[in-house]
Amino acid sequence: MRSTSLLDILGETDYSPGHSRRVTLATTTELLQGTLDLLILKAISLGPLHGYGVLLRIQQISGDKLQIQQGSLYPALYRLEHQGLIESEWGESDNRRKAKFYSLTISGQRRLRAEVNYWGRLSDAINLALAAVPGDL
Amino acid sequence: MTTKLRSFLSALVNGRRLEREMEEEWRFHLDERVGALMASGVSRREAQQIARVEFGDPLRWKEEGREARGLRLIHELRSDVQYALRQMGRAKAATLVIMATLALAIGANTAIFTLVDAVMLKPLPVPHPEELKQLVWIARRSGFHATYNGSARSNAAGERVATSFSYPVITNLRDHATTLSDVFCFDEPQQLTVVHDGAAQLVDGQFVSGNYFRGLRVNAILGRTLGDADDKPGAPAVGVISHRFWRRAFAEAPDVVGRRITVNGAPVSIVGVLPPSFFGVLPGTRPDVVLALAAQSAFDASTPPDALTRADRWGFQVMARMKPGETVGRAEAEAEALIRQAIVAYAPAAAYDPPRIVLDPGDRGLANLRREYSNPLGILMGMVGVVLLIACANIAGLLIVRASAREREIGMRIALGAGRWRVIRQLVTESVVLAVGGGCLGFAITYGIRHLLPVFVTEGSSTVELDMAVDVRILLFTAGTCLATGLACGLLPALRATNLDVASLIGRTLTGTLTSASRRWTGKVLVTTQVAFSLMLLVGAGLFVRTLLNLRSEALGFKPDGLLIFRVNPSQSGYAAARWNDFYERAVERIATVPGVRTVSLSRYAVLAGGSTRDGIGVLGSESKPVGTYIHYVAPQYFETMGIPIRLGRDITWQDREQSRHVVVVNEALARTLFGTAQPIGQWVIHPNEKVADAMEIIGVAADAKFSDVRRPAPPTIYEPYVKQPQRLMTFAVRTAGDPEGLSGSIRNAIAAVDPSVPLFDFWSQRTQIDLAIRQERLFANLVSGFGLLALLLACLGIYGTLSYSVARRTPEIGLRMALGASRHDVIGLVLRESAGPVAVGVGMGVAGVALTARLIQTMLFGVTHYDLSTLLAALAVLVVSALGAAWLPSARASRVEPMLALRQE
């Protein structure tokens, strides 16, 4: 067992064995609200998940580069549910415990497609702008 | 958006369940994370700690979760209300006083609005009332009618605006109109004598056309309503009774259909019972017996048998249903064409202008009541509104004082990060909760007394029947008033209380040496407002009280004391018309023998009871236009009994019977109008449309006396012998030696000795009759005086409270002044001067307010103008003295301040 320091606990070290040290690109506070929603929708689109599962999946599909304060997930989930983009249902988790599972609705799928589209165009535009050299002017 | 609404509503309803589910979800999440951490080798305790830190603050996620579901506002409101209720519980006395004041003020407003709603806003309880229209004709010269029964008025252009039509004209419209689906007509409600199971009573009845109930789409709850077959000449006499009559007279017996009653002596078979909510089309009335128009002449002696066939007898009011999809303009044009066509068809002899036809909205019934009562109701509404404003200003002042005691609490909240508007919202919630509490109490009181309210719109001795059921409009009004009151009371104190310099508050004591001028200014403005409005109400009270006193002391022209009056109707006891006079004469003879009775006489109407007959009268052989006159059918000795002096000539005697000459007495006003200064005795007069053989000789001139109305001067009156026209109903007048009420037993026995089956109605003294006639004025005087006193009390409390508070805050300053040499008188003067300013400004504003609004009540005043100076000065005096008294106590207390103690308080 490795000795742990306070900094390690609060810092960016992951305790799953075998994983390399992850570099955080953004924390929840830096992520815009819309971006978090987009990630949640994407995560749930890959299959119904409970809250903890959404967290793990986002970490998984982002290559552990995004750190999300775990509790902040839930208000985002409730907001998406309020807007009718995801729906919830109580079910059983892997270890046979009661958990609330979220799945994408039709309008959620539509929103995901639209947002991904928008994100792509936005990032293209910004990338283009950032690639400008003095010679282009 | 519907998903959001559904989610919001579900969150609202299932609040607690959702919170539990959230906690369960998060517990699962934490357990999973702890499990994952422990699987990587961390101890349980450490894992739990780490997981909690990673998760963050649950309270914050809960709040954000609520916000996500749109519940934040609701949650905050709920906690604000709970806090408000706790605050109210902590200061029970103040809460009680505030709620009582608000209950009174809001309750009064709700009560008057209930009246306004019943008279002006409530639609008729029939299906699709918006389709109903009332027919109105307008013409400058109305020669197309020979006789007219009903209401009429002149408009600004000098044209006659009237609502009665003749039956043939109506049937022409009914049969040919394409834009109107049901054209029905009816006469005005009238009193009928109904006998059932041997018991006789006077009830309101109405004669209607056969399609009346069909046009209104009203069905009977028992049996059937009248139909076209019942409205044919010669049809069996049938009638429909009201639910109220069914309840009172038959105890809701299920077999009432088919039972026979007697109406004005003729038999009627009951065919149905009307629903309890139905009262006809004239708000304020509720006919108990409804009969067909075709039968009217059989029941009502004053209706000629050809009433329905004469095209120039205009006396029936008309309503119709407009077909859906038709416009008012088209319907009016068609009705106008058809009515003009009908008039042309019977070619009236006199000159006339073809009438214009207007369709007035009939959804709330006929407009008579609304027009008559809109003025008194408007005045009442204005006054209770002013009372509410005073109460709001008063309570706002109270709340300012209370808020200043919470300065540290509010400062703490702001320092901890609450926005100013958030704190204001919380404070305003507190006052809204108070207002809602007071409002509910006030509403409960109004609900309890609602059946007593119609008396405010009752003029004279008539009765007004209104549907006082609570409907949505009244509830909305009460809720809106509560909300507005809460805001009005609480916003100003809240704004003032949160306008804090937080830093300087921490560590400061409650009473500062100086209060900033701006903070004292609010209290003064509130006092000014209350003083101004109180003055207005006091002046109003003074004017109404003087009106009442003027009416009471008005010279009536006769002696009202020691006079007993009652009405009899021998016709329902089986007397035929020919025997009525016989009965009256015997009754007079019999009563004259009762000890204590000085004289006894009869007249068609009781004086000042509102009833009258009017016609023209002209000198026989003269070409001049007949003079409008009031006709009084009287028995001999009428003038002696009533105490009206005979100026010239003599009274009618029992010798002047129907077979002999027609002799009449006129009053001075009529004599002057007809003959000027010439001798009227011996002259002959005649009514228009009478035969020469019916001319009448004037044998006496009586002094002027009031007839039907206390307010109007004595009209030209002609007193004709009652035997000239048989009268179904007569009023007996008995002048007694002592107290008139004391002889009532003996007089009842005397009538019974003549004929025990004849009942007596309206048995009371003339004084009581007069009191009934001025009932509305009495009520207004009492009510406005009550309001005025309440307003004065509130204003004085406001002055007292504001001044006390100011003295409390200035105690160190006063102590300093006294230590530096100020005397007690100086201190008293100092404090009094502080209130002098607001009171003076308030008085000024009040006088301006009176000048602007007093003319609105002029129509209700009598004998006093709205700009009466003495009343204003009296009100001013009362106000200033009371204000001085209210300001005296705090000033006296201030002067007793011990300088050393006061300074140590700092």
Side-chain angles (χ1 to χ4, degrees), chain B residues 603-657:
Chain B
S603 67
R604 171 69 184 85
Y605 297 103
V607 186
L608 299 179
S612 61
T613 307
R614 273 172 272 179
D615 201 354
I617 192 89
V619 183
L620 185 63
S622 162
E623 290 300 318
S624 41
K625 218 165 96 83
V627 171
T629 190
Y630 279 58
I631 307 176
H632 218 17
Y633 295 106
V634 300
Q637 290 194 305
Y638 180 74
F639 302 99
E640 197 182 327
T641 309
M642 295 300 287
I644 303 174
I646 302 261
R647 299 271 191 237
L648 289 172
R650 66 174 180 85
D651 189 0
I652 307 166
T653 62
W654 289 104
Q655 278 68 47
D656 305 310
R657 278 180 172 283

Side-chain angles (χ1 to χ4, degrees), chain A residues 1 4 9-10 14-17 22 29 50-53 55-56 68-84 88 90 93-95 97-102, chain B residues 3-5 7-8 18 21-34 36-37 39-43 46 50-51 53-57 60-62 64-66 68-70:
Chain A
M1 193 143 62
T4 54
I9 293 170
L10 295 173
D14 181 79
Y15 287 87
S16 305
R22 100 173 103 100
T29 41
H50 48 63
Y52 187 66
L55 180 75
L56 292 180
I68 299 175
Q69 191 171 28
Q70 302 192 2
S72 72
L73 210 59
Y74 287 94
L77 283 168
Y78 302 146
R79 189 173 50 243
L80 291 169
E81 194 182 357
H82 183 66
Q83 293 170 359
S88 65
W90 283 95
S93 71
D94 299 333
N95 47 4
R97 287 192 56 194
K98 207 170 118 181
K100 205 179 207 185
F101 285 83
Y102 296 90
Chain B
T3 34
K4 277 197 177 169
L5 189 65
S7 162
F8 168 75
L18 282 173
E21 285 188 358
M22 273 199 285
E23 284 166 9
E24 228 181 298
E25 233 185 321
W26 301 348
R27 232 178 300 133
F28 172 81
H29 181 115
L30 284 168
D31 287 344
E32 291 287 301
R33 184 66 185 129
V34 167
L37 286 171
S40 68
V42 183
S43 75
E46 266 191 70
I50 295 166
V53 169
E54 286 177 337
F55 194 77
D57 179 18
R60 182 174 158 206
W61 306 138
K62 259 201 194 163
E64 290 194 11
R66 260 185 237 121
R69 291 203 180 93

Side-chain angles (χ1 to χ4, degrees), chain B residues 760-775:
Chain B
L760 314 177
F761 310 103
D762 294 349
F763 198 103
W764 48 54
S765 68
Q766 180 69 48
R767 261 284 163 226
T768 310
Q769 179 71 58
I770 298 173
D771 279 343
L772 276 174
I774 55 174
R775 185 165 40 165

